[in-house]
Short mmCIF file of all heavy atoms in Angstrom, two decimals:
data_model
loop_
_atom_site.label_atom_id
_atom_site.label_comp_id
_atom_site.label_asym_id
_atom_site.label_seq_id
_atom_site.Cartn_x
_atom_site.Cartn_y
_atom_site.Cartn_z
N LEU A 1116 12.29 -4.19 6.79
CA LEU A 1116 12.18 -5.65 6.92
C LEU A 1116 10.73 -6.08 7.03
O LEU A 1116 10.33 -7.10 6.47
CB LEU A 1116 12.96 -6.12 8.15
CG LEU A 1116 14.48 -6.15 8.02
CD1 LEU A 1116 15.11 -6.58 9.34
CD2 LEU A 1116 14.93 -7.09 6.91
N SER A 1117 9.91 -5.29 7.75
CA SER A 1117 8.50 -5.61 7.86
C SER A 1117 7.83 -5.55 6.49
O SER A 1117 7.01 -6.41 6.14
CB SER A 1117 7.82 -4.64 8.83
OG SER A 1117 6.44 -4.95 8.97
N SER A 1118 8.17 -4.54 5.70
CA SER A 1118 7.62 -4.44 4.34
C SER A 1118 8.05 -5.63 3.49
O SER A 1118 7.26 -6.16 2.70
CB SER A 1118 8.08 -3.14 3.68
OG SER A 1118 7.58 -2.01 4.37
N CYS A 1119 9.30 -6.06 3.66
CA CYS A 1119 9.79 -7.22 2.91
C CYS A 1119 9.05 -8.49 3.33
O CYS A 1119 8.72 -9.34 2.48
CB CYS A 1119 11.29 -7.39 3.11
SG CYS A 1119 12.29 -6.10 2.34
N LEU A 1120 8.79 -8.65 4.62
CA LEU A 1120 8.04 -9.81 5.09
C LEU A 1120 6.65 -9.84 4.48
O LEU A 1120 6.16 -10.89 4.04
CB LEU A 1120 7.94 -9.78 6.62
CG LEU A 1120 9.19 -10.18 7.40
CD1 LEU A 1120 8.99 -9.92 8.88
CD2 LEU A 1120 9.53 -11.64 7.16
N LYS A 1121 6.00 -8.68 4.44
CA LYS A 1121 4.67 -8.62 3.84
C LYS A 1121 4.73 -8.99 2.35
O LYS A 1121 3.84 -9.67 1.84
CB LYS A 1121 4.10 -7.21 4.00
CG LYS A 1121 3.75 -6.84 5.43
CD LYS A 1121 3.23 -5.42 5.50
CE LYS A 1121 2.89 -5.02 6.92
NZ LYS A 1121 2.39 -3.62 6.99
N LYS A 1122 5.77 -8.51 1.68
CA LYS A 1122 5.92 -8.83 0.27
C LYS A 1122 6.12 -10.32 0.07
O LYS A 1122 5.56 -10.92 -0.86
CB LYS A 1122 7.11 -8.05 -0.29
CG LYS A 1122 7.22 -8.09 -1.80
CD LYS A 1122 6.09 -7.32 -2.45
CE LYS A 1122 6.28 -7.22 -3.95
NZ LYS A 1122 5.13 -6.55 -4.60
N MET A 1123 6.92 -10.95 0.92
CA MET A 1123 7.15 -12.39 0.83
C MET A 1123 5.84 -13.15 1.02
O MET A 1123 5.56 -14.11 0.30
CB MET A 1123 8.18 -12.82 1.88
CG MET A 1123 9.59 -12.32 1.61
SD MET A 1123 10.69 -12.54 3.03
CE MET A 1123 10.67 -14.31 3.20
N ILE A 1124 5.04 -12.73 2.01
CA ILE A 1124 3.76 -13.39 2.27
C ILE A 1124 2.85 -13.26 1.06
O ILE A 1124 2.20 -14.21 0.63
CB ILE A 1124 3.10 -12.79 3.53
CG1 ILE A 1124 3.94 -13.11 4.76
CG2 ILE A 1124 1.69 -13.34 3.70
CD1 ILE A 1124 3.52 -12.35 6.00
N SER A 1125 2.81 -12.04 0.50
CA SER A 1125 1.96 -11.79 -0.66
C SER A 1125 2.36 -12.68 -1.83
O SER A 1125 1.51 -13.28 -2.50
CB SER A 1125 2.06 -10.32 -1.06
OG SER A 1125 1.34 -10.06 -2.24
N GLU A 1126 3.67 -12.77 -2.11
CA GLU A 1126 4.13 -13.59 -3.22
C GLU A 1126 3.83 -15.07 -3.00
O GLU A 1126 3.47 -15.79 -3.93
CB GLU A 1126 5.63 -13.37 -3.43
CG GLU A 1126 5.97 -11.99 -3.98
CD GLU A 1126 7.46 -11.72 -4.06
OE1 GLU A 1126 8.24 -12.62 -3.68
OE2 GLU A 1126 7.85 -10.63 -4.50
N LYS A 1127 3.97 -15.51 -1.74
CA LYS A 1127 3.68 -16.92 -1.44
C LYS A 1127 2.20 -17.22 -1.64
O LYS A 1127 1.83 -18.28 -2.16
CB LYS A 1127 4.10 -17.23 0.01
CG LYS A 1127 3.92 -18.69 0.37
CD LYS A 1127 4.49 -18.99 1.74
CE LYS A 1127 4.31 -20.46 2.10
NZ LYS A 1127 5.00 -21.37 1.17
#
Side-chain angles (χ1 to χ4, degrees):
L1116 285 177
S1117 181
S1118 296
C1119 291
L1120 284 172
K1121 291 178 181 179
K1122 191 68 174 176
M1123 291 168 62
I1124 294 169
S1125 175
E1126 290 174 0
K1127 184 173 180 61

